[in-house]
Amino acid sequence: FLSLVAEFCCGFFVILILSKFWLLAVLYLLWLYLDWETPCTGGRRSQWVRSWTVWKYFREYFPIHLIKTSDLSPNHNYLLGFHPHGVLVAGAFGNFCTGPSFKNLFPGLTPYLHIMPIWFGCPFFREYIMSAGMVSASKESVSYVLNNEGGGHASVIVIGGAEEALNAHPGSLTLNILKRKGFIKMALKHGAHLVPVFSFGENELFKQVANPKGSWLRNIQEKLQKIMGFALPLFHARGVFQYSFGLIPYRQPIHTVVGSPIPVKRTLNPTTEEIEQLHALYLQQLRRLFEEHKRNYGIPEHKSLVFE
C-alpha cells in the first residue's frame, strides 16, 4: 500500500520536473535538502491530517480496535513493540496514526510510529507520512523520541520488520524476533519502559502465494529485501464488487492489544548479559499477552507463538 502511494508521488514529481512547473520541483528539492533531518527529529505531525474522515472509514472497514490492558503513566517514555508485521500493518497505522483511540485510552502519551528511513526520501510522500505521525526507524530517530525528559512519548516499532511480512499468511503465528535485540538496547539506554503489543487479525487480511523457507520464491524475496530494504510479498485478497480476487484487504476484524509495561532502568552502556535478560523477559511477556487473549479472538487453544 505504501509502495503504491510512494510510486504515485514519485511519478508526480517526475512529471513536475518535465513540465513548465519545473521551478516548483527545484524549490521542493531545496526544501527537501533543508528538511532532510526532520523525520529523525520527531517529524511534523498534523492533527488535521490524522483526523481526516477517510481514516474513520478505514478503521471501520475491518474494523480496527485498540484494547488496553494496563495504564501507561505519562510520566514515563515507552517503547511499544508491535507484532506481527502482516502485509499492510493496518493495526499500527489505524491505531497509532489516526483517530482518537490511543489518546482516549492513554491520555498524556504521544505515539510515534517508526518506519523504514527509505520512505522519507520520496518527494511529497514524506510530508504525508510525517503529518500522520510517522518518523524514521533509525537509531537517531528512536533516541530523539525516547529522550523526552518529561516523559509522555511512545515509540511504536514493528519489531519483525519487512522480513516478517514474508510470513504473513492467514493463521501464521511466526514472529521474527529472536535476533532482533536493537530495540532492547535502545530501551535500556534511555530507560524507556517496554510494552508488548499483539495485533490479532493482522495476518488475515490477505492471502499470500506459498513461499516456504528454502523455496525459490522465498530465496528471491529475501535477496530483494536485502537489496531494497523492504519485502515484496506476492499477495491477493478481494475486489471491489467480488470476493474472489483483488488487492483490497478482506474485511477481517483487527484487535490490537496493548500489554502491561515492563519497567526498565536506564543503563547508558548495557552489557550483553543485560540485553539478553531483558530480551528474554520481553519474549515471556509477549507470549503471556498472546496466551491470555487468544481465546477472545478466535485462536485455537493448541496454537502458540513461534519465535524465529
Side-chain angles (χ1 to χ4, degrees):
F1 176 73
L2 284 177
S3 300
L4 292 175
V5 180
E7 287 174 9
F8 173 81
C9 291
C10 289
F12 176 74
F13 183 71
V14 171
I15 293 174
L16 201 62
I17 291 177
L18 299 176
S19 71
K20 62 181 180 180
F21 300 106
W22 62 269
L23 182 58
L24 291 177
V26 173
L27 291 174
Y28 182 79
L29 282 176
L30 176 60
W31 161 256
L32 193 62
Y33 173 77
L34 297 174
D35 194 58
W36 191 254
E37 296 299 323
T38 301
C40 295
T41 54
R44 187 170 46 248
R45 68 180 55 221
S46 165
Q47 191 55 42
W48 175 67
V49 173
R50 289 167 60 87
S51 302
W52 280 353
T53 302
V54 66
W55 304 136
K56 175 177 179 289
Y57 293 123
F58 172 79
R59 294 190 304 274
E60 292 178 350
Y61 171 80
F62 298 98
I64 296 174
H65 304 280
L66 185 66
I67 293 89
K68 170 184 176 180
T69 63
S70 177
D71 289 332
L72 299 181
S73 169
N75 296 324
H76 300 290
N77 293 317
Y78 299 88
L79 196 158
L80 278 62
F82 184 92
H83 312 270
H85 184 286
V87 171
L88 190 61
V89 205
F93 180 76
N95 286 311
F96 303 117
C97 294
T98 72
S101 295
F102 187 87
K103 182 179 180 180
N104 292 340
L105 292 177
F106 304 102
L109 285 185
T110 302
Y112 295 81
L113 179 59
H114 295 270
I115 64 175
M116 290 183 298
I118 188 175
W119 297 117
F120 296 97
C122 180
F124 302 120
F125 181 67
R126 69 189 297 274
E127 318 304 335
Y128 157 67
I129 56 180
M130 279 197 290
S131 66
M134 298 184 218
V135 291
S136 172
S138 66
K139 293 180 181 179
E140 296 79 11
S141 177
V142 177
S143 291
Y144 184 91
V145 172
L146 298 181
N147 262 338
N148 192 41
E149 292 185 2
H153 281 189
S155 280
V156 183
I157 301 178
V158 184
I159 305 300
E163 183 181 358
E164 194 172 85
L166 300 178
N167 290 328
H169 296 272
S172 174
L173 296 172
T174 300
L175 303 181
N176 293 67
I177 192 173
L178 292 182
K179 296 181 180 179
R180 297 179 182 266
K181 300 172 184 176
F183 74 104
I184 298 291
K185 186 174 182 179
M186 293 298 291
L188 283 165
K189 290 181 68 174
H190 298 285
H193 294 354
L194 279 169
V195 182
V197 178
F198 196 88
S199 195
F200 291 89
E202 199 74 45
N203 284 339
E204 316 305 315
L205 306 185
F206 296 93
K207 292 180 180 178
Q208 190 173 168
V209 175
N211 59 343
K213 288 195 173 183
S215 65
W216 65 269
L217 176 58
R218 186 60 169 256
N219 290 336
I220 292 175
Q221 289 175 321
E222 290 177 347
K223 288 179 181 178
L224 289 175
Q225 188 263 322
K226 290 179 181 178
I227 294 172
M228 298 184 298
F230 56 90
L232 291 173
L234 298 179
F235 60 88
H236 67 88
R238 54 162 291 187
V240 178
F241 301 110
Q242 43 77 30
Y243 288 83
S244 58
F245 189 83
L247 295 178
I248 298 176
Y250 293 115
R251 297 192 70 176
Q252 295 290 338
I254 298 172
H255 295 87
T256 303
V257 184
V258 181
S260 301
I262 302 171
V264 177
K265 182 179 179 181
R266 188 174 187 183
T267 308
L268 294 178
N269 296 296
T271 64
T272 301
E273 183 181 358
E274 290 172 325
I275 294 173
E276 292 289 347
Q277 288 179 349
L278 184 55
H279 187 259
L281 178 59
Y282 179 85
L283 294 182
Q284 178 184 331
Q285 293 298 94
L286 174 60
R287 189 181 295 280
R288 179 180 177 183
L289 177 71
F290 174 81
E291 292 294 332
E292 287 180 351
H293 294 273
K294 67 180 184 181
R295 301 171 191 82
N296 299 330
Y297 307 115
I299 306 295
E301 185 66 31
H302 67 278
K303 286 204 168 188
S304 297
L305 294 178
V306 177
F307 296 146
E308 288 188 346

